[in-house]
């Protein structure tokens, strides 16, 4: 599985402080985080469906993971059989399908450069498009959980 992150100022301090929260608050935050990650994963899979066979196969390995912040796993070790009879995994396909390749014809052409890397075709554009609203909804969920806890106790 590949883990790729975004830098959000203050998130490390925020998640470290979660250990001092009551268990029900932590569970609410984890549930909200998982829900948000699932939305990103679902939207990424939908976008990949229109990108061709390799992207569709690779995108089936995009999954949300439990965590204090929205976490998505890419790839996986599920074995697939290529048309040439070779065994490949979803993890073998994910980066070729996402970023393309100028050397392997089964993948789209290399995606354009963006910053220090490439734009991507389905996962990264989806994360970029949804990033602002996901961030806001995550912070709102944390604040809501804390508000509920303070009104109950």
């Amino acid at each position: 599985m590949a883990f790729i992150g975004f830098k959000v100022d203050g998130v490390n301090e925020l998640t470290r402080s979660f250990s001092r929260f009551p268990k029900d608050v932590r569970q609410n935050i984890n549930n909200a985080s998982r829900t948000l990650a699932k939305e990103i994963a679902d939207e990424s899979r939908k976008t990949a469906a229109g990108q061709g066979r390799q992207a569709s196969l690779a995108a089936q390995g995009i999954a949300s993971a439990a965590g204090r912040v929205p976490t998505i796993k890419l790839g996986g070790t599920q074995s697939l059989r290529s048309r040439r009879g070779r065994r490949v995994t979803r993890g073998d396909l994910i980066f070729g399908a996402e970023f393309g390749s100028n050397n392997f014809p089964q993948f789209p052409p290399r995606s354009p450069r963006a910053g220090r890397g490439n734009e991507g075709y389905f996962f990264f554009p989806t994360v970029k498009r949804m990033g602002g609203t996901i961030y806001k909804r995550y912070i709102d969920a944390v604040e809501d959980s804390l508000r509920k806890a303070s009104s109950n106790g």
Side-chain angles (χ1 to χ4, degrees):
M1 292 286 168
F3 288 96
I4 300 165
F6 273 76
K7 174 108 173 84
V8 178
D9 292 333
V11 77
N12 290 336
E13 293 80 8
L14 177 67
T15 56
R16 257 187 254 122
S17 69
F18 289 171
S19 62
R20 296 189 301 267
F21 295 171
K23 185 176 181 179
D24 61 323
V25 172
R26 289 192 312 260
Q27 285 178 330
N28 288 342
I29 292 169
N30 287 350
N31 290 341
S33 175
R34 183 77 181 250
T35 300
L36 293 171
K38 185 177 180 329
E39 289 177 24
I40 294 170
D42 290 345
E43 191 63 30
S44 295
R45 283 191 295 271
K46 285 180 198 170
T47 305
Q51 299 290 328
R53 183 173 186 268
Q54 301 292 338
S56 295
L57 284 171
Q60 291 172 19
I62 298 174
S64 60
R68 293 178 173 181
V69 295
T71 305
I72 299 167
K73 295 190 274 188
L74 302 176
T77 58
Q78 182 180 5
S79 190
L80 307 168
R81 188 172 297 280
S82 74
R83 289 186 175 171
R84 294 182 182 151
R86 297 181 189 141
R87 291 214 175 268
V88 296
T89 65
R90 290 197 198 286
D92 295 335
L93 295 178
I94 191 79
F95 290 104
E98 173 66 12
F99 298 113
S101 172
N102 293 332
N103 299 324
F104 297 100
Q106 69 267 36
F107 298 119
R110 187 87 171 151
S111 66
R113 296 210 32 93
R116 292 178 37 201
N118 288 56
E119 283 181 11
Y121 282 104
F122 52 92
F123 178 71
F124 281 96
T126 301
V127 171
K128 287 176 187 172
R129 187 178 70 248
M130 297 178 73
T133 57
I134 294 295
Y135 175 78
K136 183 182 179 335
R137 288 176 54 203
Y138 175 70
I139 296 300
D140 289 347
V142 170
E143 289 173 349
D144 188 46
S145 295
L146 292 173
R147 211 175 296 115
K148 285 178 184 174
S150 66
S151 67
N152 290 340

